[in-house]
Every structure is written in C-alpha cells, then in structure tokens.
Amino acid sequence: MIQDAPLSNLSPDPGSDILRSISAGLVSMSAGQQRIAAMILENPHWAMQANVEELASKAGVSAPTIVRFARTVGCDGLRDLKLKLAAALAVGAPYLHRSVTPGDSTAEVIRSIVGSTTSVLSDWQHQLVPADIERAAEIMHRARRVDCFGTGATSNFLAMDMQARLFRLGITTNAFSDAHLQLVAAATQTEEDVLFAISYVGRMPALLEAAAVGKEHGATVIALTQTNTPLAAMADIVLSIDVPHDATMRVGTDAYVVQLLMLEILMVIIGLKRGPATISRLEEIHDILLTRGVDSDDPSLLHWGWNQVLRSDKDEAGAP
C-alpha cells in the first residue's frame, strides 16, 4: 500500500501549533485529507475527544486514512495528533479565527485567513449540485414574480442584493425583511411565483412562517441555507451553503462569501436564459450609469447635477 508522504510545509516539531500546520498545508492535501483537515479546523475540541471511527465517519473516509493523515501532518499517530491539538487549544485563539494563533505576524494572519477561505470555497464548489442550481434558475427565469426574503442583517442585505440583480434582468421582484410584509407578500403569491428565502442559520421563526404561507399558496420555495436546517426541510429547492462555522460571527466570512457567489451564479445563468434582449438591456443600463450616474468618474456629471438642483431652486424662488 502506498503511504501518504508528509507534506513539505508541515513541521513535525512537537512545539509547533498543529492547527496552524494543518491550515498551512491545506492546498497540498488530497480531497480526503482536506475533508479531515476541515473537520478538525472547524471543531478541534470535538476532534480531540472523538474516536477514530467517529472521525472517519464524519469526514467520509476510512479509519486507516485518519491514522495516515495524522502521520502526514507530522504526528506519530492519532494519539499524538490529539495531544498536539490539546496543546494548540491551550494557547490558541479559536474565537478570533480557526486558522490564527497568538503571535502570528500580519503576513501569517493574511496567509492563514485567505488560505482558509480559498480552501473552503474549493470544498464548497465540489459540494454543489448543478442540477439544483439549473432548476432554480429556470424557475426564477419563468416566474411571474420573485420575492426575496431575508431575516437578519446579512440575509437582509443579500435579499436586497438579489432583488437588484433580478430587477436588472427584467424580472418582477421584491425584497422584504419585515416579518409582516413577508407574510403579506407570501399570502399574495401563486403557483407562478417564487419565494427566495435567504438564511444561513435556516431556523428563524418569522422566515419559516412566511415560507410556509408561500408554499400553502403554491409558490416555489427556493432556500439559500445550510443543508440540515428547518428551512431546507420545507424548501422545494435547496441551494446549499455548508461551510465551517465561524468562531465569532453567527454568519462568518466564509458563509457570507459563498452566499454572494451563489447569487452571482444564479444571476449569470438566469441572464443567459433570458437571451440577447437581456444582454442589450444590461448594456444600456451600464452605459446610462457611466454617462448619467452621479457617482461617475466624470466630474462634469456632478456639476450637471448641482446645476439642475440650483436651477430648480431658482425657478421656485421666482415663481409667483
């Protein structure tokens, strides 16, 4: 049997921080090793206490693979890996970031955070089901109306962002964060409509209630959420955003980034479905914003705007 060779950028030094070493070596790991690494980095306290069968089951690998992983990251075996995890947790800073430890330089913090997010994105991409995304895009493309619901600061922003994207494509769409308005919108939906529910947590009572009302009225519920949540359970289509939990934020950077990417993916696919007329529409919008937008690089536009305001004020002052 071919053994996994130790990763060149991982130090076997017992004094080194094993969490930082695992994080630094993510890009050099195989797919199976990355799953094990992500599992440990996401919840090192649990990994330190779990037995080999539990670790293997959660990572979707065999028990011998867990032992080989421990040796690959510079440990004598699983027991040694757990001892090093305990040492790292005793001096670490998991509630700042799972990949950062006290004493890291600015360059190390940048490398750790960017590298961690890059690894998460790669893993998330492989989890995606293109057929689900295609089905969601097709239904939204043909919908009479798409209502975007978000509960909470991040979800509300994403709902408004999705509404703005769909509006540019010529789709009749709304964005609601108020619980009562969500219920009103859901109650006016039909079988031709889509209720696009955004919630990483996936268990906000007001949003679940609105989604239930939308389903009762025949709307297709598309949920941007984690797989194993109450919102996912009631949705007709789930666009999964399963990423490691953040130690500080309820919706961390990884979750935020993958949600934005999913909105971008949907917008592009829907835009392609809507054809040349939509591309022309987007081109016209782009040109208008460049030539007449008040935040354009052309300073004359700002002067033009103020002249319009001053002229209006002057006309009102001279009116009888």
Side-chain angles (χ1 to χ4, degrees):
M1 179 182 296
I2 299 175
Q3 299 293 322
D4 293 328
L7 302 176
S8 59
N9 57 343
L10 296 183
S11 170
D13 178 6
S16 67
D17 183 342
I18 190 64
L19 290 173
R20 183 167 55 185
S21 295
I22 292 174
S23 178
L26 274 169
V27 294
S28 303
M29 295 180 183
S30 65
Q33 289 175 335
Q34 287 185 351
R35 289 199 301 274
I36 299 171
M39 172 185 67
I40 293 173
L41 293 173
E42 178 181 356
N43 195 341
H45 291 87
W46 176 85
M48 182 178 65
Q49 300 173 21
N51 60 42
V52 66
E53 288 79 13
E54 291 170 332
L55 292 168
S57 176
K58 187 169 183 178
V61 299
S62 66
T65 301
I66 296 291
V67 177
R68 288 198 299 272
F69 173 85
R71 292 171 179 160
T72 298
V73 297
C75 301
D76 294 333
L78 181 57
R79 183 174 182 277
D80 187 36
L81 172 61
K82 291 186 176 185
L83 289 174
K84 289 183 178 178
L85 281 175
L89 292 173
V91 298
Y95 293 101
L96 278 176
H97 193 276
R98 64 179 179 275
S99 302
V100 173
T101 58
D104 282 357
S105 67
T106 298
E108 288 172 330
V109 169
I110 294 171
R111 184 169 57 250
S112 295
I113 292 177
V114 173
S116 174
T117 300
T118 301
S119 175
V120 167
L121 289 176
S122 176
D123 189 51
W124 174 71
Q125 179 185 352
H126 288 93
Q127 295 174 25
L128 296 179
V129 181
D132 290 342
I133 299 174
E134 164 67 21
R135 183 177 166 219
E138 179 68 21
I139 292 174
M140 295 171 76
H141 161 52
R142 298 187 179 280
R144 180 184 70 102
R145 190 179 90 203
V146 178
D147 289 335
C148 305
F149 291 0
T151 302
T154 301
S155 296
N156 179 34
F157 168 79
L158 292 168
M160 291 190 295
D161 184 55
M162 188 58 172
Q163 187 271 340
R165 292 169 183 265
L166 296 176
F167 177 73
R168 284 173 166 80
L169 299 179
I171 295 174
T172 301
T173 177
N174 305 290
F176 299 104
S177 61
D178 181 85
H180 294 95
L181 290 178
Q182 288 178 353
L183 286 173
V184 171
T188 62
Q189 289 191 316
T190 69
E191 294 179 355
E192 300 178 277
D193 300 319
V194 169
L195 191 158
F196 190 79
I198 303 173
S199 175
Y200 174 71
V201 177
R203 56 187 74 252
M204 303 296 282
L207 183 61
L208 293 174
E209 189 65 26
V213 171
K215 281 185 70 75
E216 291 169 6
H217 286 76
T220 300
V221 176
I222 300 175
L224 183 61
T225 187
Q226 297 178 89
T227 303
N228 298 314
T229 62
L231 180 59
M234 71 161 52
D236 298 297
I237 303 174
V238 178
L239 303 176
S240 62
I241 46 174
D242 296 322
V243 297
H245 294 292
D246 189 87
T248 305
M249 304 292 291
R250 196 72 172 101
V251 182
T253 300
D254 293 334
Y256 184 66
V257 170
V258 298
Q259 288 179 94
L260 278 176
L261 284 175
M262 181 60 80
L263 298 191
E264 178 78 5
I265 291 168
L266 280 173
M267 185 193 74
V268 172
I269 296 175
I270 294 171
L272 291 173
K273 289 179 177 294
R274 296 183 76 80
T278 293
I279 303 300
S280 297
R281 173 190 176 95
L282 293 174
E283 183 180 4
E284 181 179 2
I285 292 172
H286 175 75
D287 291 342
I288 288 175
L289 290 175
L290 281 180
T291 57
R292 305 181 71 170
V294 295
D295 59 349
S296 170
D297 291 336
D298 184 356
S300 64
L301 294 173
L302 181 60
H303 299 156
W304 175 86
W306 277 112
N307 286 334
Q308 293 294 105
V309 172
L310 293 172
R311 186 179 297 112
S312 176
D313 290 345
K314 184 177 179 181
D315 291 343
E316 290 181 5

